[in-house]
mmCIF file of all heavy atoms in Angstrom:
data_model
loop_
_atom_site.group_PDB
_atom_site.id
_atom_site.type_symbol
_atom_site.label_atom_id
_atom_site.label_comp_id
_atom_site.label_asym_id
_atom_site.label_seq_id
_atom_site.Cartn_x
_atom_site.Cartn_y
_atom_site.Cartn_z
ATOM 1 N N LEU A 637 -4.769 -16.921 -14.672
ATOM 2 C CA LEU A 637 -5.458 -15.742 -14.160
ATOM 3 C C LEU A 637 -5.537 -15.850 -12.645
ATOM 4 O O LEU A 637 -6.103 -16.808 -12.107
ATOM 5 C CB LEU A 637 -6.875 -15.647 -14.749
ATOM 6 C CG LEU A 637 -7.764 -14.522 -14.213
ATOM 7 C CD1 LEU A 637 -7.143 -13.159 -14.481
ATOM 8 C CD2 LEU A 637 -9.158 -14.610 -14.823
ATOM 9 N N PHE A 638 -4.939 -14.882 -11.960
ATOM 10 C CA PHE A 638 -5.041 -14.761 -10.506
ATOM 11 C C PHE A 638 -5.866 -13.513 -10.206
ATOM 12 O O PHE A 638 -5.547 -12.430 -10.713
ATOM 13 C CB PHE A 638 -3.659 -14.646 -9.870
ATOM 14 C CG PHE A 638 -2.813 -15.885 -10.016
ATOM 15 C CD1 PHE A 638 -1.969 -16.034 -11.105
ATOM 16 C CD2 PHE A 638 -2.867 -16.900 -9.079
ATOM 17 C CE1 PHE A 638 -1.195 -17.176 -11.260
ATOM 18 C CE2 PHE A 638 -2.100 -18.045 -9.209
ATOM 19 C CZ PHE A 638 -1.259 -18.188 -10.305
ATOM 20 N N ASP A 639 -6.905 -13.661 -9.383
ATOM 21 C CA ASP A 639 -7.790 -12.505 -9.170
ATOM 22 C C ASP A 639 -7.387 -11.640 -7.984
ATOM 23 O O ASP A 639 -7.944 -10.561 -7.784
ATOM 24 C CB ASP A 639 -9.246 -12.947 -9.056
ATOM 25 C CG ASP A 639 -9.577 -13.694 -7.762
ATOM 26 O OD1 ASP A 639 -8.664 -13.915 -6.932
ATOM 27 O OD2 ASP A 639 -10.749 -14.072 -7.586
ATOM 28 N N GLY A 640 -6.419 -12.093 -7.176
ATOM 29 C CA GLY A 640 -5.920 -11.260 -6.091
ATOM 30 C C GLY A 640 -6.787 -11.213 -4.854
ATOM 31 O O GLY A 640 -6.422 -10.565 -3.861
ATOM 32 N N VAL A 641 -7.939 -11.875 -4.855
ATOM 33 C CA VAL A 641 -8.856 -11.833 -3.712
ATOM 34 C C VAL A 641 -8.553 -13.019 -2.802
ATOM 35 O O VAL A 641 -8.992 -14.141 -3.052
ATOM 36 C CB VAL A 641 -10.327 -11.865 -4.177
ATOM 37 C CG1 VAL A 641 -11.266 -11.840 -2.977
ATOM 38 C CG2 VAL A 641 -10.606 -10.680 -5.097
ATOM 39 N N ALA A 642 -7.821 -12.770 -1.729
ATOM 40 C CA ALA A 642 -7.364 -13.855 -0.857
ATOM 41 C C ALA A 642 -8.352 -14.205 0.251
ATOM 42 O O ALA A 642 -8.313 -15.313 0.784
ATOM 43 C CB ALA A 642 -6.022 -13.477 -0.237
ATOM 44 N N TYR A 643 -9.238 -13.271 0.576
ATOM 45 C CA TYR A 643 -10.166 -13.502 1.695
ATOM 46 C C TYR A 643 -11.566 -13.055 1.306
ATOM 47 O O TYR A 643 -11.739 -12.057 0.603
ATOM 48 C CB TYR A 643 -9.727 -12.729 2.944
ATOM 49 C CG TYR A 643 -8.273 -12.876 3.280
ATOM 50 C CD1 TYR A 643 -7.376 -11.843 3.038
ATOM 51 C CD2 TYR A 643 -7.786 -14.064 3.814
ATOM 52 C CE1 TYR A 643 -6.029 -11.977 3.328
ATOM 53 C CE2 TYR A 643 -6.435 -14.208 4.110
ATOM 54 C CZ TYR A 643 -5.568 -13.166 3.860
ATOM 55 O OH TYR A 643 -4.233 -13.307 4.136
ATOM 56 N N LEU A 644 -12.557 -13.805 1.777
ATOM 57 C CA LEU A 644 -13.960 -13.433 1.605
ATOM 58 C C LEU A 644 -14.631 -13.412 2.970
ATOM 59 O O LEU A 644 -14.286 -14.205 3.857
ATOM 60 C CB LEU A 644 -14.674 -14.431 0.686
ATOM 61 C CG LEU A 644 -14.242 -14.418 -0.780
ATOM 62 C CD1 LEU A 644 -14.971 -15.520 -1.551
ATOM 63 C CD2 LEU A 644 -14.505 -13.063 -1.418
ATOM 64 N N PRO A 645 -15.596 -12.511 3.189
ATOM 65 C CA PRO A 645 -16.215 -12.362 4.513
ATOM 66 C C PRO A 645 -16.831 -13.651 5.049
ATOM 67 O O PRO A 645 -16.801 -13.897 6.253
ATOM 68 C CB PRO A 645 -17.295 -11.298 4.264
ATOM 69 C CG PRO A 645 -16.822 -10.542 3.071
ATOM 70 C CD PRO A 645 -16.100 -11.534 2.214
ATOM 71 N N ASP A 646 -17.393 -14.471 4.166
ATOM 72 C CA ASP A 646 -18.087 -15.671 4.633
ATOM 73 C C ASP A 646 -17.224 -16.924 4.555
ATOM 74 O O ASP A 646 -17.730 -18.041 4.644
ATOM 75 C CB ASP A 646 -19.364 -15.887 3.807
ATOM 76 C CG ASP A 646 -19.076 -16.001 2.318
ATOM 77 O OD1 ASP A 646 -17.923 -15.718 1.922
ATOM 78 O OD2 ASP A 646 -19.997 -16.368 1.560
ATOM 79 N N MET A 647 -15.917 -16.742 4.407
ATOM 80 C CA MET A 647 -15.021 -17.888 4.260
ATOM 81 C C MET A 647 -13.975 -17.883 5.371
ATOM 82 O O MET A 647 -13.317 -16.866 5.613
ATOM 83 C CB MET A 647 -14.328 -17.838 2.892
ATOM 84 C CG MET A 647 -13.334 -18.975 2.647
ATOM 85 S SD MET A 647 -12.528 -18.835 1.038
ATOM 86 C CE MET A 647 -13.905 -19.199 -0.048
ATOM 87 N N ALA A 648 -13.817 -19.022 6.029
ATOM 88 C CA ALA A 648 -12.773 -19.150 7.045
ATOM 89 C C ALA A 648 -11.423 -19.334 6.368
ATOM 90 O O ALA A 648 -11.295 -20.097 5.418
ATOM 91 C CB ALA A 648 -13.075 -20.337 7.943
ATOM 92 N N GLY A 649 -10.420 -18.617 6.823
ATOM 93 C CA GLY A 649 -9.094 -18.729 6.224
ATOM 94 C C GLY A 649 -9.024 -18.035 4.877
ATOM 95 O O GLY A 649 -9.838 -17.177 4.551
#
Side-chain angles (χ1 to χ4, degrees):
L637 175 60
F638 294 91
D639 71 358
V641 179
Y643 312 105
L644 292 176
D646 57 350
M647 178 181 291

